[in-house]
Amino acid sequence: MSTASPAVSVTALNNLDDARYPAGLDSPVTGAAPDNLALLDDQQEWSAFSRPDPRLNDCWESNLLIEGMHCAACALTLEDALLGVPGVVKAEVSAGSHRARVVWSSELARPSDWMRAVQKAGYRAVPANDAFARERRRGEARKALWRLMVAGLCMMQVMMYAYPAYVAAPGDLTAEMEQLLRWASWVLTLPVILFSCGPFFGSALRDIAQRRVSMDLPVALGMLITFVVSSAGTFDPQGNFGREVYFDSLTMFVFFLLSGRWLELRLRDRTAGALEALMNRLPDSVSRLRDDGTFERVPVRRLLPKDVIRVLPGETFPADGVVLQGDTLVDEALLTGESRPVSRGVGGMVIAGSHNLSTVVQVQVERTGDQTRFAEIVALMETASTTKPPLARLADRIAKPFLIAVLLSAGLACAFWWGRDPGHALMVAVAVLVVTCPCALSLATPAAMLAAAGTLARRGVLVRRLEAFEALAAIDTVLFDKTGTLTRDAMVLGSTQVREGVPVAQALAMAAALAQYSLHPVSKALVVAAGAAGTSPSWKADAVTEVAGGGVSGKVWFGNAAQTSTQLRLGSATFCGVALPRTESLQACLSDERGWLATFELHEDVRPDALETVAALQREGLIVHLLSGDSAQAAARVAARVGITEFQGGCAPQDKLEFLRNAQQRGHKVAVVGDGLNDGPVLAAAHVSFAFGQAVPLAQAQADFVVLGDQLGAVVKSLRLARRTLRVVRQNLWWAAIYNAVCVPLAVVGWLPAWLAGLGMALSSLLVVFNALRLSDRAKPLKKFDRSLEKT
């Protein structure tokens, strides 16, 4: 079994549970008695379920899974309970993902305080990264399936006993036979009430004890009323309720409701798959090198920087580090969006959470725990899974008043029909209670946005805030940064001019012989260009020196003829002692004793998918701008290469921010795409923003979307998915509204039986979830950007 994140050690929590609490006594984090919660106040235990909040001093952030929650009203109840604890700065509970994020002050509060508040509210909280959360969820799914199977089996038998009463003509059934069938139906309904309906009644009792309402309260009332009325008719056939029994309707709508719940549980697990796939990637233990040269198996949490570990094929790298021995292929798909395995040899960097595919390697650990990129990615995804878009917050606010209105409507309908037929009046009330539960309304927005966020995560794009989908779908303008966004950090060789009689390949090979001793971007570009051109590797250099801001110089010769070496200089025109025509392009000169030998013109390496990305955005009707801190000429060259007509150079961060605000004041909805290095203000001020994750620490990025790979095509795919997501959300909300507008009047006038009301409620929720799952395709991570954009 794997742990969740190096930033949060779950093993320590599990040890706490096993060692300190005897059999039969709950652990403090997973639902303990309040007396034991104080054990969580030991600061050494906090890292097992929390991490320091980098934005607030002396504050910690805890991510929890909430068990026993079924609707938006439950989420609001939990938020109110948590925010009522002194020292809790922020609390967000998502009804869609069943996750909670609690930010609390270590000076004013302790974990036992807000954990006790969760318990008093009647729910069970476990760490979001608990290694055993999946096992508990599987157990929950098994119980749900057993309840469903019992309800289904009893329903079929009850329907068999109820059938004769529906088809019999007057006089066909004797009173004794009809009573016998009623008693048989009552006996078969008992397992449904006592076992299958347990979760509904448990939640309803909790609501009554807490003086609140949630979705399960009207459902449980409907079940209880139906059973009591039918039991009264069975025990007293001549009484007010003896005309008809409704055991068939009761078992049928219980079966339908449980079917919907079970399918929702399965579908929710599927939409959360991307997050769990990340959180559960790390191994429990790893082989660490001892001083005597042997390896020992140690828990991952005990790794320290400079440790040397051995990772076998098929295992996951537990920390960021450098390969010391071996050459392997690594799968980084979920972490960088790179769909193909990448080669990592001696000196290559590996990241925690990636898979070793081919051979055994030894790695020296550089970063562990919350310092790894893996931990930063998990933190971003946890935050996204608990945020609430405005539409979801609106649904949450409506949920409680709507449930109160449901109870009042059921009471009024019952009172209206009571004078004609008390039994029928109660069943009308049951139909109103069941059909109007706002499941579809509370699931409409979070189901769609969580599905879309999971799809983007599999494609190498992390969503920091779910509400960003709404903003992204509405944008009409995109601002691109140049360096590090449209272009890569590296330079590439353009044209080459040489002295008469000197071959271009020879000049490039001589320059590369000097350049390999320098780390300057120009030197790196020349070495790469020489290798790509296949120039002769026989040129050697010696006595190489580098002058900062000038260039490199040294003796260069061919083959073994060191005695015929030539003194060369590579760098600026001034450094090489030559005069060149003034130009805005970047140039490197090569000179020897005779003077000028060659000029290499270099330009920025534009990302290969930049032109297609800009064209795709323009086809979507968006205005594309380029803002760069470089000179106007450099901005113009890059803009021309990628097809952008609106550009501006010489922009300081404040200039970019001013440009953005002017566009927003004119009514434009603006997205900003940057590398995050100097774009923090404009990324934060935009309606929606993208940052490339390798440029800055992910946890401090200001962007709404973090692109883990280096493909600009992710921006277009995210835009199109956001527009699809908003269409699905609107479809879900319209369906929920139409469903209630049609079914509530039918239930009130008595034309909608209880079993059909249960079926309608279950189908409405499932339709919303299935519609959202159209966004949760099993897409592969983003590949090299190609014409597939036009087919999206």
Side-chain angles (χ1 to χ4, degrees):
M1 183 172 299
S2 60
T3 58
S5 164
V8 184
S9 173
V10 180
T11 309
L13 178 63
N14 296 331
N15 292 339
L16 177 71
D17 293 348
D18 296 339
R20 300 183 182 177
Y21 301 94
L25 183 63
D26 289 335
S27 83
V29 178
T30 57
D35 293 340
N36 294 326
L37 287 175
L39 291 171
L40 291 179
D41 295 341
D42 183 354
Q43 189 167 356
Q44 294 182 353
E45 304 292 347
W46 292 357
S47 62
F49 54 93
S50 307
R51 61 169 63 88
D53 193 319
R55 295 160 295 185
L56 300 172
N57 292 330
D58 299 321
C59 284
W60 289 67
E61 177 184 308
S62 302
N63 286 276
L64 307 171
L65 283 173
I66 305 298
E67 297 179 356
M69 187 174 71
H70 299 292
C71 65
C74 298
L76 283 180
T77 297
L78 265 174
E79 287 183 357
D80 292 341
L82 288 167
L83 291 173
V85 177
V88 172
V89 179
K90 188 174 184 180
E92 291 181 328
V93 182
S94 170
S97 63
H98 290 201
R99 289 176 176 267
R101 185 168 69 95
V102 184
V103 179
W104 48 282
S105 170
S106 59
E107 293 183 351
L108 303 176
R110 286 294 182 266
S112 61
D113 299 333
W114 47 266
M115 288 296 297
R116 189 173 289 111
V118 172
Q119 286 191 343
K120 286 183 177 179
Y123 299 92
R124 176 186 174 96
V126 298
N129 57 327
D130 189 347
F132 298 103
R134 177 176 294 181
E135 292 300 320
R136 277 193 295 272
R137 194 169 60 254
R138 286 177 179 172
E140 179 185 352
R142 283 193 294 269
K143 290 180 181 178
L145 184 58
W146 271 109
R147 293 189 181 99
L148 174 63
M149 293 170 63
V150 169
L153 179 62
C154 294
M155 178 198 68
M156 290 187 289
Q157 297 299 316
V158 170
M159 289 296 296
M160 183 178 67
Y161 292 137
Y163 180 74
Y166 286 111
V167 300
D172 286 351
L173 277 179
T174 63
E176 292 80 4
M177 179 58 68
E178 184 175 0
Q179 187 66 8
L180 179 62
L181 293 175
R182 288 188 178 187
W183 275 106
S185 297
W186 183 83
V187 171
L188 287 168
T189 305
L190 282 177
V192 178
I193 291 294
L194 298 177
F195 177 66
S196 297
C197 296
F200 299 103
F201 290 138
S203 297
L205 289 174
R206 182 180 62 206
D207 292 341
I208 295 172
Q210 298 290 331
R211 297 180 181 179
R212 64 170 188 253
V213 293
S214 71
M215 187 196 74
D216 283 344
L217 182 58
V219 171
L221 283 175
M223 294 173 178
L224 185 61
I225 291 172
T226 306
F227 183 71
V228 170
V229 169
S230 301
S231 297
T234 301
F235 284 93
D236 185 12
Q238 306 304 319
N240 290 334
F241 304 109
R243 188 173 65 87
E244 188 176 357
V245 295
Y246 305 94
F247 294 119
D248 53 336
S249 296
L250 173 60
T251 54
M252 192 177 298
F253 84 70
V254 169
F255 174 75
F256 289 144
L257 292 181
L258 290 175
S259 298
R261 285 258 175 114
W262 183 73
L263 286 173
E264 282 178 31
L265 180 64
R266 296 293 303 273
L267 296 175
R268 188 176 70 243
D269 289 346
R270 176 180 168 184
T271 57
L275 177 58
E276 288 211 345
L278 272 176
M279 293 180 64
N280 295 314
R281 284 174 76 90
L282 294 191
D284 273 333
S285 59
V286 67
S287 297
R288 182 175 63 183
L289 184 65
R290 292 175 173 173
D291 293 337
D292 60 4
T294 62
F295 286 90
E296 61 175 344
R297 203 76 183 174
V298 297
V300 169
R301 69 181 185 276
R302 294 184 181 176
L303 288 181
L304 298 172
K306 304 301 182 183
D307 282 348
V308 176
I309 59 175
R310 180 177 62 189
V311 182
L312 303 177
E315 290 186 340
T316 303
F317 292 99
D320 294 353
V322 179
V323 178
L324 297 181
Q325 180 178 320
D327 193 348
T328 188
L329 293 176
V330 178
D331 178 11
E332 299 179 352
L334 277 178
L335 302 175
T336 65
E338 177 60 55
S339 60
R340 297 180 181 178
V342 293
S343 177
R344 292 289 183 264
V346 175
M349 290 293 302
V350 292
I351 53 179
S354 58
H355 284 299
N356 181 18
L357 297 180
S358 55
T359 59
V360 180
V361 292
Q362 291 186 20
V363 175
Q364 185 176 62
V365 174
E366 289 196 342
R367 288 180 296 274
T368 63
D370 56 4
Q371 302 300 315
T372 62
R373 276 192 77 209
F374 174 82
E376 294 168 349
I377 292 170
V378 169
L380 287 182
M381 296 189 70
E382 285 179 336
T383 301
S385 67
T386 55
T387 56
K388 290 186 180 180
L391 288 175
R393 288 195 290 268
L394 176 63
D396 287 356
R397 288 195 297 269
I398 293 174
K400 275 191 175 181
F402 186 81
L403 283 170
I404 294 173
V406 166
L407 296 174
L408 293 175
S409 300
L412 292 174
C414 181
F416 176 80
W417 287 97
W418 188 267
R420 305 179 189 184
D421 184 349
H424 181 68
L426 288 173
M427 295 312 296
V428 168
V430 168
V432 174
L433 288 172
V434 174
V435 79
T436 53
C437 285
C439 299
L441 181 65
S442 63
L443 287 171
T445 300
M449 292 193 175
L450 284 171
T455 296
L456 285 182
R458 286 188 289 272
R459 293 176 171 181
V461 181
L462 297 187
V463 184
R464 297 187 71 236
R465 299 184 303 112
L466 289 183
E467 56 261 42
F469 279 113
E470 295 180 44
L472 181 58
I475 66 167
D476 57 23
T477 304
V478 179
L479 304 184
F480 277 102
D481 177 45
K482 179 177 71 70
T483 306
T485 304
L486 288 174
T487 66
R488 300 180 183 181
D489 294 334
M491 309 293 292
V492 292
L493 178 64
S495 61
T496 302
Q497 298 177 353
V498 295
R499 189 168 63 199
E500 184 177 357
V502 178
V504 172
Q506 177 182 326
L508 183 57
M510 296 168 70
L514 284 176
Q516 64 181 328
Y517 292 94
S518 171
L519 296 178
H520 193 278
V522 171
S523 298
K524 291 181 179 179
L526 291 174
V527 173
V528 170
T535 58
S536 173
S538 299
W539 286 92
K540 311 292 183 183
D542 191 16
V544 178
T545 59
E546 183 171 8
V547 177
V552 292
S553 62
K555 295 181 179 180
V556 177
W557 67 90
F558 183 81
N560 297 321
Q563 66 278 6
T564 61
S565 62
T566 303
Q567 185 73 27
L568 296 182
R569 287 190 168 211
L570 173 67
S572 65
T574 302
F575 177 76
C576 294
V578 298
L580 294 177
R582 187 176 182 84
T583 178
E584 291 295 333
S585 61
L586 177 63
Q587 293 181 333
C589 295
L590 181 68
S591 65
D592 58 10
E593 291 89 345
R594 295 171 53 191
W596 175 80
L597 183 63
T599 300
F600 306 98
E601 183 175 322
L602 297 106
H603 54 76
E604 293 173 290
D605 185 13
V606 175
R607 295 183 187 271
D609 60 343
L611 178 62
E612 291 89 343
T613 297
V614 171
L617 290 172
Q618 292 169 339
R619 286 195 298 271
E620 293 289 333
L622 274 63
I623 304 170
V624 182
H625 292 266
L626 168 62
L627 301 181
S628 174
D630 275 357
S631 65
Q633 292 82 359
R637 285 196 300 272
V638 172
R641 294 182 61 187
V642 300
I644 296 178
T645 58
E646 303 289 336
F647 59 89
Q648 184 173 327
C651 295
Q654 185 60 37
D655 297 327
K656 295 182 181 181
L657 187 59
E658 188 66 26
F659 186 96
L660 170 67
R661 288 174 175 167
N662 290 336
Q664 291 173 331
Q665 289 173 0
R666 295 194 302 270
H668 291 290
K669 304 295 184 183
V670 186
V672 173
V673 185
D675 64 355
L677 289 173
N678 58 355
D679 298 325
V682 72
L683 288 173
H687 290 99
V688 65
S689 52
F690 290 80
F692 284 80
Q694 296 181 359
V696 294
L698 294 179
Q700 299 176 4
Q702 297 293 326
D704 301 303
F705 296 86
V706 178
V707 183
L708 299 178
D710 60 353
Q711 296 146 23
L712 283 175
V715 177
V716 182
K717 288 188 179 260
S718 299
L719 169 66
R720 290 174 173 170
L721 184 60
R723 291 178 173 177
R724 284 181 58 203
T725 301
L726 265 292
R727 285 197 297 268
V728 168
V729 168
R730 295 189 187 101
Q731 291 167 2
N732 286 348
L733 291 174
W734 273 110
W735 163 251
I738 292 172
Y739 161 76
N740 282 283
V742 172
C743 292
V744 171
L746 293 177
V748 170
V749 300
W751 291 354
L752 194 69
W755 68 267
L756 190 56
L759 178 61
M761 174 190 168
L763 289 180
S764 66
S765 299
L766 288 177
L767 181 62
V768 164
V769 175
F770 275 117
N771 193 33
L773 281 178
R774 294 192 298 122
L775 302 168
S776 184
D777 55 24
R778 291 296 178 182
K780 296 179 180 179
L782 282 173
K783 297 182 178 179
K784 294 293 183 181
F785 190 75
D786 54 21
R787 297 296 180 185
S788 63
L789 272 178
E790 301 177 4
K791 303 176 183 178
T792 302

